[in-house]
Every structure is written in C-alpha cells, then in structure tokens.
Amino acid sequence: MFLTGDGVSLPPSEYVRLLAKLEPKPDVYLKGGAVEELEGRFAKLLGKEKALFFPTGTLANHVAVRLLAGERKHVLVQEESHLYRDEGDCAQTLSGLNLVPLAPGRATIKASEMVEAVEKAGSPPYPVPVGAISIESPVRRMTGRSFDFEEMKKISAYAREKKIGMHLDGARMYLASAYTGISPAKYSELFDTVYVSMYKYFNAPFGAMLTGPAALIDAATILRHQFGGGLLHAWEAAAIALHYSDGFEERYQKAVQHGEELLKSLEQRKAKVYRLDAGTNIFQVEFPKAPGADLQKRLADRGIMIGRPPAQGPMTLMVNETILRRPAEEIAGEIFRALG
C-alpha cells in the first residue's frame, strides 16, 4: 500500500494483466472504442454537452483557455496554479495569451480581487479585456488545498455577467469532493470547461478529459491534432480509466474515512497530525522520535510505501485507495515499529 501519491501506482505487469482481463474495444485516432465510451461517461458525470480525450492535462488546459479567451487574450489565473507555474509558458508561447497571476501563496482568489483585476485590465486609456479565468482546485503547489467554493460561485456569477470564459483545472477534483462534500458535477456547473486527470487516481498510464459545450469541444478536436495530440490509439489508457472510475467516488469516500482512522491512531500514539485549512488528501505528521534515514526502506520492507522523509520536521502522508488494503490500526503500528 502507498501513503504517497494520489493513485494506486500500477507496475507495467499489472497494466498488462488488467488490460487482458478488460478486453477493451480499440479506437483509431481517438475515435470510437473505449475512448468514445470514456468521453461519454465524463460528459454525463460532469453535466457537459461533450468531452474530449487529451494525452496530457497540460494540453487540455492550454486548449481550453485558448478557446475560451478567443481574441481577448488577457487570462486571469492563480499564481500558484499548474497552468501558470508548471506548463512551460505554453499558453503564452504557443497561443499568445497573457496569463495574469493573482493571489500569490494562496489557493483562493477572492471574488473582490477578481473583479478588481477585470476592471483594471479593461480601464482606459488602453483597455485589454479579460477573455478567460482559469481556476485550479485543489492546488498542487498549495499542498492540495481547495479553492473556497463560496468565492468560486461569486466569481462564476460575475464572469457570466461579463461574458468571460471560465475554466476549471480539476485534475484532482474527485479527491477534493470527498473532503468538501461538493460533488464534481456541482463544481462543474460553475465553469464552461472542466479538465479532469485520467492518470492521477483513475490510474491510466496517461490521459486527460476536457469537457464543455459541444461547439467548443469540436474546435478543441482540431487544436488537439494541430498541437500533436492526435494519437493513433489510446484504448489502453481509456480502458484503465473506465475501470477505476467505475465506483470511484464510493471507494474513495471509504479511503478518506480509513485515512481519518489512521490519523487518529497515530495521534493516540503521540504523533502530531497537522491538518491543512481547506486541505484534501495530504497531511503532515510529526512523530515523537525523529525518523531515521532508513525509514523509507524499513516501511517498504513492511509493505508500506512513503515519500522520502525530511531530515527534520513533519513527514507528508497522502491518502489514496490503497489505504483500504490494511486496517488503520495495523498501518499505524507498523509505522511506529519502523521508527524503532
């Protein structure tokens, strides 16, 4: 089991066995078969007219904001967002968009800040109207913190009033929903386009799903090809994502509950658990005894995988489906035995 990462970390041999069992229907250039089935599933799940498979989330985010912005190339983003910090300036370089970062060091941009930024950009003597707003939630660079839903609703209402496109980088939105109690469909209602990762916790070897209005998704199909995303086949990724997305919300809710049991068990053993404001599946734990340099190996020998522990300070633990493989009390006991 893993106390690091969002998914189940399948080795290549397990992918092969699972695909042989699933017997997926093939696609050709991302048309038909398992890919089409996956697109239909996520369009329905998120309440959108249409969905489109992309090889990467970077490309899905880029294409979405490009199409939403159109000729109004001023785009507002979180400074800590993946689109702004981790996509190699692709939207700026390849589509001439001007990404304007807001709220440094925070997951949430207040609606008042967003209004101020829109009005400032559109003011004379040289107005540059905002064409799109992109929000990531939860925010990876903010240790998985979620964007405040009330602020999100206010921003969405304002954007619609001003006819500004809204994009959600919801790569990890299904994880967030288990902690916030807000369904992915409810989040999706506030946005024109929504991207969800197919590999982070639906465990596909690659892939992303972009959902939105039919006309926009049709235009995205052309851009996907122009930017080199027209794969010959993606049935293997689609089949795995279909398999793990089936019943995921119920399973992950159980994983969250199991994670809470584990944290309580660690606290009973005098560990300090740090719960982040607006946090999701990432926690920090400080043990009574500093972990040794070999803790990662000691736990691996006990079948528990963790990230590399810091030389000092709290250790990061992450909740994913694999936590259900062993009782919480047993996991806590193994951790403390490994500490020595």
Side-chain angles (χ1 to χ4, degrees), residues 199-222:
Y199 77 86
K200 296 184 187 301
Y201 44 90
F202 295 133
N203 307 305
F206 61 91
M209 194 60 58
L210 180 66
T211 67
L216 185 144
I217 295 300
D218 288 343
T221 305
I222 297 169

Side-chain angles (χ1 to χ4, degrees), residues 280-302:
T280 52
N281 67 322
I282 303 174
F283 300 89
Q284 293 182 319
V285 180
E286 190 170 8
F287 297 103
K289 179 180 178 181
D294 62 345
L295 178 63
Q296 193 175 35
K297 183 181 183 305
R298 284 173 176 268
L299 282 173
D301 291 342
R302 290 167 164 80

Side-chain angles (χ1 to χ4, degrees), residues 87-100:
E87 298 188 2
D89 285 354
C90 66
Q92 299 95 313
T93 304
L94 301 177
S95 292
L97 299 177
N98 179 25
L99 301 189
V100 181

Side-chain angles (χ1 to χ4, degrees), residues 9-24:
S9 300
L10 294 174
S13 58
E14 189 59 33
Y15 275 123
V16 171
R17 283 193 290 269
L18 184 54
L19 286 170
K21 177 182 175 182
L22 295 174
E23 297 183 348

Side-chain angles (χ1 to χ4, degrees), residues 38 41-43 45-48 51-61 64 135 137-138 167-177 183-185 187-188 193-204 206-212 241 245 248-249:
L38 185 67
R41 174 176 293 185
F42 275 90
L45 285 172
L46 298 180
K48 299 301 184 188
L52 188 67
F53 183 93
F54 278 80
T56 70
T58 293
L59 185 55
N61 276 335
I135 290 175
S137 187
H167 173 64
L168 174 62
D169 177 344
R172 295 173 172 84
M173 68 184 297
Y174 277 79
L175 302 185
S177 289
S183 71
Y187 280 118
S188 181
T193 56
V194 179
Y195 143 61
V196 180
S197 174
M198 294 294 103
Y199 77 86
K200 296 184 187 301
Y201 44 90
F202 295 133
N203 307 305
F206 61 91
M209 194 60 58
L210 180 66
T211 67
S245 63
F248 175 82
E249 291 178 75

